[in-house]
mmCIF file of all heavy atoms in Angstrom:
data_model
loop_
_atom_site.group_PDB
_atom_site.id
_atom_site.type_symbol
_atom_site.label_atom_id
_atom_site.label_comp_id
_atom_site.label_asym_id
_atom_site.label_seq_id
_atom_site.Cartn_x
_atom_site.Cartn_y
_atom_site.Cartn_z
ATOM 1 N N ASN A 1244 -2.945 -82.998 -81.947
ATOM 2 C CA ASN A 1244 -2.196 -82.693 -83.179
ATOM 3 C C ASN A 1244 -2.886 -83.268 -84.405
ATOM 4 O O ASN A 1244 -2.332 -84.106 -85.111
ATOM 5 C CB ASN A 1244 -0.756 -83.213 -83.084
ATOM 6 C CG ASN A 1244 -0.017 -82.522 -81.954
ATOM 7 O OD1 ASN A 1244 -0.176 -81.310 -81.758
ATOM 8 N ND2 ASN A 1244 0.752 -83.281 -81.185
ATOM 9 N N LEU A 1245 -4.083 -82.803 -84.621
ATOM 10 C CA LEU A 1245 -4.920 -83.324 -85.715
ATOM 11 C C LEU A 1245 -4.224 -83.254 -87.079
ATOM 12 O O LEU A 1245 -4.420 -84.096 -87.941
ATOM 13 C CB LEU A 1245 -6.239 -82.530 -85.737
ATOM 14 C CG LEU A 1245 -7.308 -82.962 -86.718
ATOM 15 C CD1 LEU A 1245 -7.830 -84.363 -86.358
ATOM 16 C CD2 LEU A 1245 -8.480 -81.981 -86.736
ATOM 17 N N GLY A 1246 -3.437 -82.219 -87.252
ATOM 18 C CA GLY A 1246 -2.735 -82.081 -88.535
ATOM 19 C C GLY A 1246 -3.588 -81.406 -89.591
ATOM 20 O O GLY A 1246 -3.233 -81.399 -90.779
ATOM 21 N N VAL A 1247 -4.720 -80.861 -89.202
ATOM 22 C CA VAL A 1247 -5.623 -80.167 -90.134
ATOM 23 C C VAL A 1247 -6.015 -78.849 -89.477
ATOM 24 O O VAL A 1247 -6.245 -78.803 -88.265
ATOM 25 C CB VAL A 1247 -6.903 -81.011 -90.390
ATOM 26 C CG1 VAL A 1247 -7.882 -80.269 -91.278
ATOM 27 C CG2 VAL A 1247 -6.566 -82.371 -90.968
ATOM 28 N N ASP A 1248 -6.069 -77.807 -90.272
ATOM 29 C CA ASP A 1248 -6.476 -76.496 -89.752
ATOM 30 C C ASP A 1248 -7.979 -76.551 -89.426
ATOM 31 O O ASP A 1248 -8.796 -76.875 -90.293
ATOM 32 C CB ASP A 1248 -6.187 -75.455 -90.847
ATOM 33 C CG ASP A 1248 -6.155 -74.050 -90.302
ATOM 34 O OD1 ASP A 1248 -6.145 -73.886 -89.065
ATOM 35 O OD2 ASP A 1248 -6.127 -73.108 -91.125
ATOM 36 N N LEU A 1249 -8.321 -76.229 -88.182
ATOM 37 C CA LEU A 1249 -9.712 -76.387 -87.707
ATOM 38 C C LEU A 1249 -10.373 -75.040 -87.447
ATOM 39 O O LEU A 1249 -9.735 -74.146 -86.902
ATOM 40 C CB LEU A 1249 -9.681 -77.116 -86.367
ATOM 41 C CG LEU A 1249 -10.108 -78.570 -86.226
ATOM 42 C CD1 LEU A 1249 -10.079 -78.949 -84.750
ATOM 43 C CD2 LEU A 1249 -11.490 -78.811 -86.791
ATOM 44 N N ARG A 1250 -11.622 -74.911 -87.797
ATOM 45 C CA ARG A 1250 -12.404 -73.719 -87.454
ATOM 46 C C ARG A 1250 -13.724 -74.158 -86.836
ATOM 47 O O ARG A 1250 -14.216 -75.256 -87.124
ATOM 48 C CB ARG A 1250 -12.706 -72.874 -88.699
ATOM 49 C CG ARG A 1250 -11.492 -72.201 -89.309
ATOM 50 C CD ARG A 1250 -10.968 -71.076 -88.429
ATOM 51 N NE ARG A 1250 -9.888 -70.347 -89.064
ATOM 52 C CZ ARG A 1250 -8.604 -70.695 -89.060
ATOM 53 N NH1 ARG A 1250 -8.243 -71.827 -88.443
ATOM 54 N NH2 ARG A 1250 -7.695 -69.957 -89.644
ATOM 55 N N VAL A 1251 -14.315 -73.261 -86.036
ATOM 56 C CA VAL A 1251 -15.599 -73.566 -85.384
ATOM 57 C C VAL A 1251 -16.635 -72.529 -85.786
ATOM 58 O O VAL A 1251 -16.337 -71.329 -85.801
ATOM 59 C CB VAL A 1251 -15.440 -73.546 -83.838
ATOM 60 C CG1 VAL A 1251 -16.798 -73.538 -83.155
ATOM 61 C CG2 VAL A 1251 -14.642 -74.748 -83.361
ATOM 62 N N THR A 1252 -17.835 -72.981 -86.120
ATOM 63 C CA THR A 1252 -18.960 -72.060 -86.320
ATOM 64 C C THR A 1252 -20.123 -72.537 -85.455
ATOM 65 O O THR A 1252 -20.610 -73.659 -85.633
ATOM 66 C CB THR A 1252 -19.407 -72.019 -87.799
ATOM 67 O OG1 THR A 1252 -18.303 -71.582 -88.592
ATOM 68 C CG2 THR A 1252 -20.572 -71.052 -88.001
ATOM 69 N N VAL A 1253 -20.522 -71.683 -84.518
ATOM 70 C CA VAL A 1253 -21.704 -71.997 -83.699
ATOM 71 C C VAL A 1253 -22.869 -71.234 -84.313
ATOM 72 O O VAL A 1253 -22.883 -70.002 -84.315
ATOM 73 C CB VAL A 1253 -21.471 -71.584 -82.218
ATOM 74 C CG1 VAL A 1253 -22.718 -71.862 -81.385
ATOM 75 C CG2 VAL A 1253 -20.261 -72.337 -81.640
ATOM 76 N N LEU A 1254 -23.831 -71.966 -84.871
ATOM 77 C CA LEU A 1254 -24.892 -71.291 -85.645
ATOM 78 C C LEU A 1254 -25.842 -70.491 -84.752
ATOM 79 O O LEU A 1254 -26.353 -69.452 -85.164
ATOM 80 C CB LEU A 1254 -25.670 -72.311 -86.474
ATOM 81 C CG LEU A 1254 -24.841 -72.984 -87.579
ATOM 82 C CD1 LEU A 1254 -25.660 -74.045 -88.287
ATOM 83 C CD2 LEU A 1254 -24.333 -71.955 -88.584
ATOM 84 N N GLY A 1255 -26.127 -70.970 -83.559
ATOM 85 C CA GLY A 1255 -26.900 -70.191 -82.589
ATOM 86 C C GLY A 1255 -28.299 -69.813 -83.040
ATOM 87 O O GLY A 1255 -28.945 -70.528 -83.807
ATOM 88 N N HIS A 1256 -28.739 -68.627 -82.583
ATOM 89 C CA HIS A 1256 -30.151 -68.252 -82.758
ATOM 90 C C HIS A 1256 -30.551 -67.936 -84.190
ATOM 91 O O HIS A 1256 -31.740 -67.758 -84.465
ATOM 92 C CB HIS A 1256 -30.482 -67.075 -81.839
ATOM 93 C CG HIS A 1256 -30.558 -67.484 -80.402
ATOM 94 N ND1 HIS A 1256 -29.442 -67.670 -79.631
ATOM 95 C CD2 HIS A 1256 -31.618 -67.788 -79.613
ATOM 96 C CE1 HIS A 1256 -29.799 -68.052 -78.410
ATOM 97 N NE2 HIS A 1256 -31.117 -68.129 -78.379
#
Side-chain angles (χ1 to χ4, degrees):
N1244 298 320
L1245 185 65
V1247 176
D1248 198 11
L1249 253 185
R1250 291 290 185 276
V1251 167
T1252 300
V1253 178
L1254 294 176
H1256 287 79

